[in-house]
Amino acid sequence: MSKRILVSSLIGFAVIGGVAAGGLAVASAATELTVENSSARYVAPSDGRAGSITFTADVSDDSGIRGLKVLAWPASSKLDPTEAELRSVDSATCRSTSDETSRCTYTAKVTKAETADLAEGTWYVSALATAKDGDTKFVPRAATFAVPR
């Protein structure tokens, strides 16, 4: 084998190896779908104005965010929502803060009449995030808040 062919082959191998290694670096940089910085708050109705239950979270994925489903439920109910059940509940409003992250907020109004039916005590919020590439992340207890009497 001539030296010229051997040198060309080695250069080709080095270039292909560099491209493959670069591809692996890009593939390993992919981020997993996450739901972070979540919080929930209950505000009781007062002076003829409705109260609210508000849940906020930062949702991130390298493909972007398609949406976030949210369910608030009292701990005393012993409810244990599943990922499948969350597919058909209310959606949060998500606004992009970057190509990969959205700040999602869900707000439910609570009237004075509805307050009488709310279970007092600890409540949980379950969340189901969906990325643009179809990945999902289920968080059974993304946040906790209290409903006082």
Side-chain angles (χ1 to χ4, degrees):
M1 180 182 284
S2 78
K3 286 184 180 181
R4 192 173 18 185
I5 294 173
L6 181 61
V7 170
S8 296
S9 296
L10 290 174
I11 291 172
F13 179 74
V15 168
I16 291 171
V19 169
L24 290 174
V26 168
S28 66
T31 59
E32 182 179 318
L33 180 59
T34 60
V35 178
E36 300 178 316
N37 305 320
S38 58
S39 65
R41 179 182 57 168
Y42 170 75
V43 176
S46 64
D47 299 329
R49 292 192 309 205
S52 64
I53 295 171
T54 303
F55 172 77
T56 303
D58 294 327
V59 184
S60 299
D61 187 74
D62 58 350
S63 70
I65 303 306
R66 182 178 298 154
L68 182 71
K69 300 284 194 166
V70 177
L71 177 67
W73 51 281
S76 62
S77 73
K78 305 296 183 205
L79 185 67
D80 193 14
T82 65
E83 180 173 343
E85 291 168 331
L86 256 69
R87 293 183 193 281
S88 60
V89 299
D90 292 334
S91 294
T93 300
C94 296
R95 299 207 192 307
S96 294
T97 57
S98 73
D99 290 341
E100 297 180 353
T101 304
S102 291
R103 165 71 48 102
C104 299
T105 303
Y106 169 79
T107 302
K109 297 294 180 196
V110 180
T111 66
K112 186 104 171 143
E114 291 169 331
T115 300
D117 294 332
L118 289 180
E120 107 180 25
T122 302
W123 282 59
Y124 299 116
V125 177
S126 297
L128 176 63
T130 305
K132 287 185 178 176
D133 63 7
D135 289 348
T136 59
K137 173 76 173 190
F138 174 59
V139 184
R141 292 191 179 151
T144 304
F145 64 96
V147 174
R149 274 293 165 193

